[in-house]
Amino acid sequence: MTQVEHTEQASVKDTPLVPIEKVVSLSKRRGFVYPNSEIYGGVAGIYDFGPLGVEMRNNIRRYWWWSMVQNHDNVVGIEGATITHPRVWEASGHVENFVDRLVDCKKCKRRFRTDHLEPENLEQHKCPVCGGELTTEPRVFNLLMETYLGVVEGDRMKTYLRGEACQNIYLDYDNVLKSSRVQIPFGIAQIGKAYRNEVTPGNFLFRQREFEQWDLQFFVHPGEMDKWYEYWKEFRFNWYTNLINHKDRLRFREHGSDELAHYARKAYDVEYRTVLGWQEWEGIHWRQDWDLSRHSEYSGQDLRYTDPLTKERYMPWIVETSGGVDRTFLNLLLDAYEEEPDPNGKEPRTVLHLHPWVAPVKVAILPLQKNKEELVSTARSIHKNLQRYMVSQYDDVANIGRRYRRQDEIGTPFCVTIDFQTLDDQTVTVRERDGMTQIRLPISELTMYLLDRVTWK
Ligand code: ATP
């Protein structure tokens, strides 16, 4: 077993909860996230990621993959298709049960999911926003997105874009078992898109109609379920703890007996507190043998496992950890954003205190002046060398203070300044984003200095 180590970041002050609009605006202005199809008026709950957004997403995904798959001898990865046989969704229960129940306020016309309402609002049919009367009979909507395979009318097969990514793991379980020498206990991990016709999309990336999930399904002997459940629960909590500044905004919430699926003995959500309140970030689920049993029943394939030593034959039990790339992206931006007052009463400094592991740009290379050929050529060669290892940005436009600010706003953890002393003694200034402290380093030590700080461990 491997544990993700706790790492210490430069301490960031306790700052107030950030309004989502601040992050929406920065995301658009600096190229993290754009509304999808904006020139046509946009589509609710669907977003595109810009040049910085895609770098940050890739970092988040790669860190997840590194710690879950590469750093665990007993976990392998897959990448499944987003369209599957329609029977999959009958077996999984989604065709029948993947529904949201919605009530409307007769006065302010807002719509609410019944599972998001406080019990007293539900019982008294009272709108939590305006106090108006809510409709009594909830309308029921299935969240699966339908699509059709085939072109000839009459021969077309109705199926669904996957409503949750993890189903591919159950579908590929037997193939993985036969093709990759894994033995129970082992896990299959995947990152991939999922689609839901959410009836209340909103809050930026929090609830989208197309989004990306990361899942681990860990297959165990029933007698070892407790041990592995606890292992993954702690592991996933530490994983999130590592990435955030405000550790006190992370907690576990245990599901009450009324929320538990019939097969689950327990379930915990990792929750994070933002202006939206405490919200689920990831679920750690006790799935028992529900999924493999259902797929065995519906497909007619026996998915039981035979222990190679004892020859015991049994249906494996599953620990699931299921979270979202987009919700991680949003929570990390909300956790990192700060408008820091300037001690001299000038414009506040907008800074993203992103962990260097996930920051989209790792280093900015800044020659002090752009009209001095020697400064520029030295800076360009340092930049070229660093690009082999990390995302580096070269910038020689505007004064150095303005350039620092530009990088702070996108969370670049280090700025390297090339000045006249560099030409004399081959050293550069490295400025750190959060504390704005500066040190002088020989160019020959720069790559290792940065790699040590921007590479996960
Ligand atoms: P909710 O009750 O909020 O609808 P859920 O319990 O159905 O969520 P899961 O099916 O457990 O969510 O999905 C696992 C993870 O996928 C969630 O923890 C979240 O990070 C992410 N996720 C789920 N739905 C969405 C969505 N519509 N937009 C963005 N991320 C989502």
Side-chain angles (χ1 to χ4, degrees):
M1 286 188 215
T2 11
Q3 270 296 352
V4 165
E5 285 172 27
H6 274 289
T7 54
E8 289 306 323
Q9 266 180 275
S11 64
V12 170
K13 297 174 295 301
D14 197 25
T15 45
L17 297 175
V18 177
I20 298 235
E21 301 73 51
K22 293 270 184 196
V23 161
V24 174
S25 147
L26 176 88
S27 292
K28 175 127 188 264
R29 193 169 71 249
R30 297 305 309 269
F32 283 86
V33 185
Y34 311 124
N36 172 273
S37 312
E38 198 181 11
I39 58 171
Y40 290 98
V43 187
I46 305 192
Y47 289 91
D48 289 351
F49 290 83
L52 293 180
V54 74
E55 293 294 345
M56 181 163 151
R57 271 174 89 80
N58 283 342
N59 291 337
I60 296 172
R61 285 198 200 99
R62 284 196 211 114
Y63 172 49
W64 188 90
W65 197 264
W66 171 81
S67 57
M68 301 296 281
V69 183
Q70 193 177 331
N71 211 21
H72 276 95
D73 291 332
N74 52 4
V75 177
V76 292
I78 62 157
E79 184 168 319
T82 56
I83 298 178
T84 59
H85 195 287
R87 288 278 283 166
V88 171
W89 304 100
E90 291 165 27
S92 69
H94 283 75
V95 171
E96 201 184 339
N97 298 321
F98 196 39
V99 291
D100 274 349
R101 292 180 168 75
L102 216 68
V103 287
D104 302 82
C105 174
K106 293 179 183 170
K107 193 170 157 201
C108 71
K109 309 292 178 210
R110 284 190 173 82
R111 294 188 296 187
F112 300 94
R113 268 171 61 172
T114 52
D115 59 330
H116 287 170
L117 282 172
E118 294 297 332
E120 61 266 28
N121 291 93
L122 201 56
E123 281 154 25
Q124 298 164 13
H125 309 298
K126 188 171 158 202
C127 173
V129 178
C130 75
E133 190 190 344
L134 296 176
T135 49
T136 43
E137 268 315 304
R139 289 183 291 154
V140 179
F141 295 93
N142 191 296
L143 305 190
L144 285 175
M145 275 194 200
E146 293 176 5
T147 188
Y148 293 86
L149 289 175
V151 287
V152 180
E153 205 57 53
D155 260 356
R156 300 174 80 199
M157 177 164 77
K158 180 171 125 182
T159 184
Y160 309 94
L161 301 181
R162 62 182 176 189
E164 60 178 20
C166 65
Q167 289 300 323
N168 291 79
I169 298 182
Y170 313 131
L171 302 178
D172 290 340
Y173 159 79
D174 200 40
N175 277 329
V176 170
L177 201 58
K178 287 175 178 148
S179 60
S180 55
R181 302 185 65 226
V182 284
Q183 286 181 9
I184 280 180
F186 79 97
I188 304 179
Q190 180 184 231
I191 302 178
K193 294 274 188 182
Y195 302 84
R196 293 182 187 175
N197 256 327
E198 293 281 0
V199 286
T200 54
N203 290 321
F204 195 33
L205 306 178
F206 186 82
R207 191 169 301 287
Q208 297 172 84
R209 287 167 162 156
E210 173 180 329
F211 56 98
E212 198 165 39
Q213 294 186 307
W214 47 42
D215 292 289
L216 169 78
Q217 307 290 320
F218 198 79
F219 302 90
V220 302
H221 185 279
E224 292 209 303
M225 186 70 178
D226 265 307
K227 174 180 122 187
W228 285 108
Y229 187 87
E230 288 310 312
Y231 171 76
W232 286 110
K233 182 175 155 237
E234 292 311 312
F235 186 92
R236 293 304 300 151
F237 193 84
N238 291 345
W239 193 90
Y240 287 109
T241 309
N242 266 339
L243 289 183
I244 55 175
N245 299 296
H246 303 287
K247 318 279 186 206
D248 58 328
R249 294 183 192 162
L250 197 71
R251 73 173 187 192
F252 274 129
R253 187 183 70 82
E254 184 171 10
H255 284 211
S257 52
D258 53 333
E259 290 174 272
L260 285 177
H262 62 87
Y263 48 78
R265 197 171 301 161
K266 50 187 164 183
Y268 282 83
D269 286 344
V270 177
E271 291 192 335
Y272 182 73
R273 188 163 66 92
T274 67
V275 278
L276 304 175
W278 286 101
Q279 296 285 353
E280 174 182 334
W281 194 342
E282 168 155 328
I284 321 292
H285 301 131
W286 176 294
R287 298 197 67 96
Q288 208 144 312
D289 63 355
W290 163 255
D291 307 277
L292 289 182
S293 298
R294 289 282 285 196
H295 284 301
S296 282
E297 183 191 333
Y298 277 69
S299 67
Q301 306 284 322
D302 185 354
L303 296 175
R304 280 176 304 166
Y305 177 80
T306 307
D307 186 289
L309 289 177
T310 64
K311 305 296 173 212
E312 183 188 354
R313 200 157 164 72
Y314 61 92
M315 196 59 90
W317 284 21
I318 294 176
V319 182
E320 173 186 68
T321 72
S322 179
V325 178
D326 307 87
R327 217 167 268 187
T328 302
F329 191 99
L330 173 64
N331 285 349
L332 292 184
L333 286 181
L334 289 169
D335 183 82
Y337 186 95
E338 187 186 5
E339 287 175 11
E340 213 175 67
D342 185 274
N344 305 316
K346 293 191 195 142
E347 280 272 286
R349 176 174 87 121
T350 303
V351 50
L352 285 185
H353 299 286
L354 288 171
H355 197 296
W357 297 347
V358 297
V361 177
K362 307 298 184 192
V363 61
I365 307 299
L366 318 173
L368 196 61
Q369 291 178 13
K370 72 170 180 182
N371 51 2
K372 289 280 179 284
E373 177 50 33
E374 269 186 289
L375 288 183
V376 167
S377 63
T378 308
R380 284 221 176 264
S381 101
I382 292 174
H383 169 61
K384 199 80 217 141
N385 180 53
L386 285 172
Q387 278 183 313
R388 296 163 64 198
Y389 307 100
M390 64 191 76
V391 176
S392 167
Q393 248 184 27
Y394 175 87
D395 186 7
D396 61 13
V397 178
N399 69 45
I400 200 79
R402 290 271 297 278
R403 282 183 270 165
Y404 283 154
R405 289 273 174 123
R406 268 207 290 271
Q407 296 299 331
D408 291 341
E409 201 184 37
I410 61 168
T412 308
F414 300 102
C415 287
V416 174
T417 312
I418 288 83
D419 56 21
F420 292 103
Q421 190 183 332
T422 311
L423 306 179
D424 287 340
D425 66 2
Q426 298 293 301
T427 63
V428 289
T429 301
V430 182
R431 175 212 185 244
E432 184 272 329
R433 176 199 64 203
D434 296 337
M436 293 185 282
T437 49
Q438 304 198 355
I439 57 162
R440 199 93 203 162
L441 266 191
I443 295 174
S444 58
E445 290 175 21
L446 183 64
T447 306
M448 278 317 291
Y449 177 88
L450 294 173
L451 273 178
D452 193 39
R453 285 156 180 79
V454 305
T455 315
W456 37 76
K457 45 182 167 280

